[in-house]
Amino acid sequence: MFRTALRNVLAHKARLLMTVLAVMLGVAFVSGTLVFTDTLGNAFSKQSAKSYDNVAVSVETYAGDDEKTPGIDDATLEKIRGLDGVASATGRVSGFAGVADPDGKLIGNGWSNTGANFAPGKDGKDASYVFTDGSGPAKSGSVALDKDTASKGKYRVGDPVRVATNGPVKEYTLSGIFTTEDGAVNAGGSLVLFDTATAQKLYLKPGVFQNATVSAAGGVSDQKLLDAIEPLLPKDATAQTGKALADQQAKDIESGLSSLNTMLLAFAGIALFVGIFLITNTFTMLIAQRTRELALMRAIGATRRQVKRSVLLEAAVVGTLASVIGFALGLGLATGLRSAMGLLGGKIPAGPLVVSPTAVGSAFAVGILITVLAAWLPARRAAKIAPVAAMSSVHATPSTKSLVLRNSIGGVIALIGAAGIVGGAAAGGTPGRQLVAGGAFFALIGVIILIPLLSRPVIALVRPLLKKLFGVSGKLASQNAVRNPRRTGATASALAIGLTLVTGISVLGVTLGQAIDKMTTDNIKADYLVSMASGDSLDESALTALSKADGVAALSPQQAAWFEVDGEYHSASAVTPGDVEKVFSLTTVSGSLGSLKEGQVAVGSKTAKSNGWKTGDTLPVKFEDDKKGEVTVGALYKENEFLSPFVIPKKLADEHSTSTRPEIREIWIKADGGASKANEQSVVDALGDNPAMSVMDRQDIRDMFGGFINTALNIMYGLLAMALLIAVLGVVNTLAMSVFERQQEIGMLRAIGLDRGRVKRMIRLEAVVISLFGAVIGVGLGVFLGWAIGRTLSSEIPGYALVIPWDRLGIFLLLAALVGVLASLWPARSAAKLNMLTAIKTE
């Protein structure tokens, strides 16, 4: 039976081509994902371990500019250096530092732009950095840059470099260029080295470090050194051996990559699930074409088990071949993804491609198992062929009993799914989303079972139109599309699954995008928003400079503050009284926002209601500096998404701040005459043309909040493209094998006058009908799912309202029709080229 299976595979190479392609693509996705994430994890883990090669003990603190987090002072560091077994102890301090390129723009991505101290040993070198040109900064006024940043900025040793920290931008002289294993640089950021005194002044305070690294003398164990160091450290400090820290970072890297791995594998699973329909269709049609052969095998003594085993062996051979090719493609995909990340600015450490046994085993197990499972039902049907059925078809019209049973089961499953989706939409929140996900699974399975039943009435609706527009070709196409409902259903199901996901994501994405956009436009009046590219807080000097800028009509910070009321923590936004209502859309429920000028506070109406507060109430509070006092509620306002539940005067926040640097998250500006190039330039000039400070107009603000949704949508579309491609292969395969099956029929049509052009048109229209049928089902189910998931989020998103993107849905249907046309090119050409006399004689 193995020889028979192998012979059948070799005899039907062309007809199994699409199956091989489908499995190959799925396996490539799976293996490429596993190899890519394993390679990334290995490279970053080795890089992390390398950076701790000479570190015996690492000490970390949460040092800040307040007394609660003192950090490591020089005295403590000297005590550590004096311990037996300590070869060296180096203090480290770091924070944000952005470098301007020749055009004044920030080099890097903001959040990973870092500044640190150059800490040379007795030999004048810092083991963390290798200088390729010049040397480290030895005095105030000079800096060193990493090699990539220097290259992007076209800087050479001796050049002036504009560097921005959280304060005003300053100009330094470039003393050297270095290479480093620093993770921030490898993530596409930049690293600026200052001398230690300057770095401490910028990021902490003189004589204090955030962290320290200790190296051991020969023969001294890391653990022994750790035990000796720990008693010397301040309370907020934590210490661990270099090896423990490297191991922990390796685990963190693995954990961080696991979410990427899971997401990519989920889309690979969708692609393989879609491929099941193609594989099942292929083996079903092959068995239909070999009815006589299989019946003859039964007649000469083959058992049902042997026939079934023969078909499954064919599937295993096909799956193995596709897995081998797919795994090779997966290695290429992993290499390509690695290169693409480099081109996009992510610097991946050098290292070999990691091909783990798990990746190899998973790829082959998935490819072979999926193919065999998809072929199981056709194999089971093949085994039922009686010897006397040599002249009949395995695909005779199913009995009424079997159709009733199939449709009844499908109907029940679809109803369970629909009930789950509707119930989840009504429940809302996380439990509702879980219920919708479960309902979606059952609904999709139910629709797949019911698709053959749905094909006849749905396609019957367009039959008159096809006949009117395309004559006999249109009539024949519509009849062919429903001739075998199971085959049509399986082919359409693949497209329906892909378009269900694409449509659902589109409906949800567009709806959320418009809700966020509405939230933005409804809540702000400001023309400009100023913030740090790093996400850190702005310096007070920025607020002072902007208050003197030309064209600024109103100006208010959004400064973070907090206090306790009756032991309960409440966040607050410290603002400029009198200007806050000019930059934010604030609807007063009671009282007056003018009371902020008198030192009173405003409270969001929902917060006030839940606590039983009203205008005029005096609230006992404990401030950030632990001082107790009272505040008076001067106004209640309708909540604004850009402000905290409490709005307080900036002066009140400053009086009780424990930090020497107020946490100004952003500054909102209302300009005379609205946004204009002149007003924007005035703001930029007032900030000293600082590359680290972002100045956004209202459209930029809208794009900032809504842009990530469009990015996420594009990523989803790209990942689902694999499933849609496999669905297209399914249409091609079904049509190609259908043409082979109907050679005699096509020959007869040609003999009675149907010319080649109309034969091609018939096949094309059949493909378009099947594709559009699957698309309509997918789009309808996708809209339903998008609505349900959106409802579960509606309570969390102010201004939520369902938006159906009719333009995108129309594009999806047009693309489905185009898919049908393209998928039919080869089968239509093959059908038109058939010799009518040879075709008529074909059995």
Side-chain angles (χ1 to χ4, degrees):
M1 296 308 290
F2 178 76
R3 287 198 301 272
T4 302
L6 189 59
R7 177 185 61 82
N8 284 327
V9 170
L10 295 174
H12 302 103
K13 294 188 290 294
R15 285 177 249 173
L16 288 167
L17 176 63
M18 298 303 171
T19 294
V20 171
L21 285 173
V23 179
M24 179 186 76
L25 290 172
V27 169
F29 209 150
V30 172
S31 58
T33 295
L34 294 173
V35 171
F36 176 62
T37 52
D38 286 346
T39 299
L40 281 187
N42 179 69
F44 282 119
S45 295
K46 283 187 175 179
Q47 181 195 55
S48 175
K50 185 178 178 181
S51 64
Y52 292 104
D53 278 348
N54 299 316
V55 177
V57 176
S58 174
V59 181
E60 297 183 0
T61 73
Y62 297 97
D65 55 0
D66 54 57
E67 297 302 324
K68 294 181 180 179
T69 52
I72 305 168
D73 57 24
D74 284 332
T76 302
L77 201 59
E78 284 302 319
K79 289 179 183 177
I80 294 172
R81 289 189 181 117
L83 292 172
D84 291 337
V86 173
S88 66
T90 305
R92 300 290 182 186
V93 60
S94 62
F96 169 77
V99 180
D101 66 13
D103 297 324
K105 303 297 182 183
L106 183 68
I107 297 175
N109 47 30
W111 59 269
S112 60
N113 290 342
T114 310
N117 66 308
F118 175 68
K122 294 178 181 179
D123 59 356
K125 296 180 180 179
D126 188 328
S128 298
Y129 313 104
V130 177
F131 279 81
T132 59
D133 193 11
S135 60
K139 59 182 180 180
S140 176
S142 61
V143 295
L145 296 178
D146 69 273
K147 188 176 180 180
D148 288 346
T149 301
S151 176
K152 291 174 184 175
K154 301 178 181 178
Y155 290 118
R156 295 181 180 180
V157 173
D159 286 349
V161 180
R162 295 178 72 242
V163 179
T165 54
N166 287 335
V169 64
K170 294 181 180 180
E171 192 171 276
Y172 297 85
T173 300
L174 183 62
S175 67
I177 298 171
F178 59 88
T179 59
T180 177
E181 297 296 328
D182 188 275
V185 175
N186 287 322
S190 62
L191 178 59
V192 182
L193 294 181
F194 303 91
D195 64 281
T196 297
T198 300
Q200 288 177 326
K201 183 178 179 181
L202 285 171
Y203 300 125
L204 212 53
K205 49 191 172 186
V208 177
F209 299 94
Q210 292 161 323
N211 308 314
T213 55
V214 182
S215 60
V220 179
S221 74
D222 293 354
Q223 187 59 47
K224 182 179 178 180
L225 211 55
L226 176 65
D227 293 339
I229 290 171
E230 283 185 321
L232 304 177
L233 301 177
K235 292 181 180 180
D236 75 313
T238 58
Q240 55 186 321
T241 63
K243 184 180 183 306
L245 188 58
D247 291 343
Q248 182 59 50
Q249 288 201 3
K251 289 181 181 179
D252 292 341
I253 290 168
E254 183 180 351
S255 175
L257 289 173
S258 65
S259 57
L260 172 65
N261 197 38
T262 301
M263 181 184 74
L264 291 176
L265 287 177
F267 284 95
I270 293 168
L272 286 166
F273 182 59
V274 170
I276 288 174
F277 295 95
L278 190 159
I279 299 164
T280 303
N281 245 4
T282 300
F283 279 94
T284 298
M285 296 171 77
L286 281 176
I287 289 166
Q289 293 164 14
R290 289 162 45 201
T291 300
R292 181 172 294 182
E293 174 191 330
L294 293 171
L296 183 60
M297 288 175 64
R298 290 294 313 282
I300 61 175
T303 64
R304 287 186 173 185
R305 181 175 295 180
Q306 286 177 313
V307 171
K308 183 178 179 180
R309 193 181 303 154
S310 172
V311 176
L312 293 178
L313 279 171
E314 288 180 48
V317 170
V318 171
T320 303
L321 175 63
S323 296
V324 170
I325 302 172
F327 187 75
L329 283 176
L331 295 180
L333 178 63
T335 304
L337 285 172
R338 183 173 176 171
S339 299
M341 284 190 68
L343 292 173
L344 292 172
K347 186 179 177 183
I348 300 174
L353 205 64
V354 178
V355 184
S356 66
T358 301
V360 177
S362 299
F364 279 85
V366 164
I368 296 170
L369 188 63
I370 289 292
T371 311
V372 171
L373 285 176
W376 180 81
L377 191 56
R380 183 170 173 271
R381 290 176 184 165
K384 290 183 177 181
I385 298 175
V388 295
M391 299 303 294
S392 65
S393 170
V394 73
H395 288 296
T397 306
S399 65
T400 303
K401 180 180 178 182
S402 68
L403 287 175
V404 170
L405 180 63
R406 176 191 175 108
N407 295 333
S408 298
I409 293 173
V412 170
I413 294 175
L415 284 173
I416 291 172
I421 293 170
V422 173
T430 301
R433 286 190 285 277
Q434 293 173 345
L435 195 56
V436 169
F441 173 77
F442 284 105
L444 202 56
I445 297 299
V447 168
I448 289 169
I449 295 172
L450 290 172
I451 269 186
L453 173 67
L454 296 172
S455 64
R456 289 187 180 276
V458 173
I459 295 175
L461 292 174
V462 298
R463 186 178 298 166
L465 181 63
L466 289 174
K467 184 178 179 181
K468 182 177 181 180
L469 293 177
F470 303 102
V472 67
S473 295
K475 180 180 179 180
L476 290 171
S478 60
Q479 290 175 342
N480 291 334
V482 294
R483 177 183 295 183
N484 192 323
R486 286 184 176 177
R487 183 187 303 167
T488 298
T491 305
S493 292
L495 272 173
I497 293 167
L499 281 172
T500 294
L501 297 172
V502 169
T503 303
I505 290 169
S506 297
V507 170
L508 186 61
V510 172
T511 297
L512 294 181
Q514 291 208 13
I516 291 173
D517 187 66
K518 187 175 186 296
M519 177 186 74
T520 304
T521 55
D522 286 355
N523 284 286
I524 63 171
K525 294 179 180 178
D527 296 308
Y528 297 107
L529 164 64
V530 175
S531 61
M532 290 295 293
S534 62
D536 292 334
S537 58
L538 290 153
D539 191 77
E540 186 83 29
S541 60
L543 194 62
T544 304
L546 288 170
S547 65
K548 300 174 183 177
D550 293 336
V552 173
L555 178 76
S556 177
Q558 211 279 59
Q559 180 176 322
W562 64 271
F563 46 72
E564 292 181 15
V565 181
D566 295 329
E568 185 179 352
Y569 170 91
H570 290 277
S571 62
S573 293
V575 300
T576 303
D579 280 2
V580 63
E581 57 265 45
K582 296 176 183 177
V583 296
F584 292 109
S585 297
L586 294 176
T587 303
T588 305
V589 176
S590 64
S592 170
L593 291 171
S595 61
L596 291 172
K597 294 180 179 179
E598 301 169 9
Q600 297 181 359
V601 302
V603 185
S605 56
K606 291 180 181 178
T607 301
K609 184 178 180 181
S610 63
N611 287 277
W613 301 330
K614 61 184 183 298
T615 304
D617 283 355
T618 299
L619 309 179
V621 299
K622 181 181 179 182
F623 292 103
E624 186 179 338
D625 57 359
D626 289 336
K627 292 181 179 179
K628 294 182 179 180
E630 293 181 341
V631 294
T632 302
V633 179
L636 301 183
Y637 67 94
K638 186 177 179 182
E639 269 77 0
N640 185 296
E641 298 303 318
F642 293 91
L643 293 170
S644 298
F646 273 82
V647 173
I648 65 176
K650 184 179 186 305
K651 182 181 177 182
L652 180 63
D654 291 341
E655 287 173 354
H656 296 283
S657 175
T658 58
S659 173
T660 57
R661 180 189 181 89
E663 191 178 344
I664 301 175
R665 295 171 180 168
E666 50 209 29
I667 299 173
W668 297 84
I669 302 167
K670 184 68 177 176
D672 285 324
S676 67
K677 288 185 178 180
N679 283 334
E680 184 173 347
Q681 190 60 49
S682 175
V683 171
V684 171
D685 291 342
L687 295 171
D689 196 15
N690 192 323
M693 291 185 183
S694 170
V695 179
M696 293 182 283
D697 60 23
R698 295 190 71 176
Q699 186 57 52
D700 293 332
I701 297 168
R702 294 167 68 180
D703 292 342
M704 177 181 69
F705 287 100
F708 74 93
I709 292 180
N710 290 327
T711 301
L713 277 177
N714 291 332
I715 291 172
M716 295 292 183
Y717 289 156
L719 292 172
L720 286 170
M722 185 70 75
L724 292 172
L725 177 59
I726 292 175
V728 173
L729 293 178
V731 179
V732 175
N733 200 44
T734 298
L735 289 172
M737 297 186 74
S738 178
V739 167
F740 180 84
E741 230 179 41
R742 289 152 43 196
Q743 286 186 68
Q744 189 178 55
E745 174 191 320
I746 293 171
M748 288 295 294
L749 289 171
R750 292 276 288 112
I752 62 174
L754 195 68
D755 60 32
R756 288 182 176 181
R758 285 189 286 180
V759 169
K760 286 183 179 180
R761 191 180 303 140
M762 176 184 72
I763 301 299
R764 289 195 194 106
L765 289 173
E766 184 179 345
V768 170
V769 166
I770 292 173
S771 298
L772 282 176
F773 169 59
V776 168
I777 297 293
V779 167
L781 189 55
V783 170
F784 183 41
L785 288 177
W787 163 80
I789 297 173
R791 289 297 304 169
T792 66
L793 296 166
S794 59
S795 61
E796 303 166 24
I797 301 175
Y800 171 87
L802 178 67
V803 178
I804 298 178
W806 296 107
D807 53 343
R808 297 194 189 196
L809 301 189
I811 290 171
F812 295 158
L813 293 176
L814 286 175
L815 287 176
L818 181 61
V819 161
V821 172
L822 294 176
S824 69
L825 293 178
W826 174 42
R829 186 168 177 271
S830 300
K833 287 176 66 178
L834 285 175
N835 183 289
M836 67 181 74
L837 296 178
T838 303
I840 290 171
K841 290 189 294 181
T842 301
E843 295 185 8

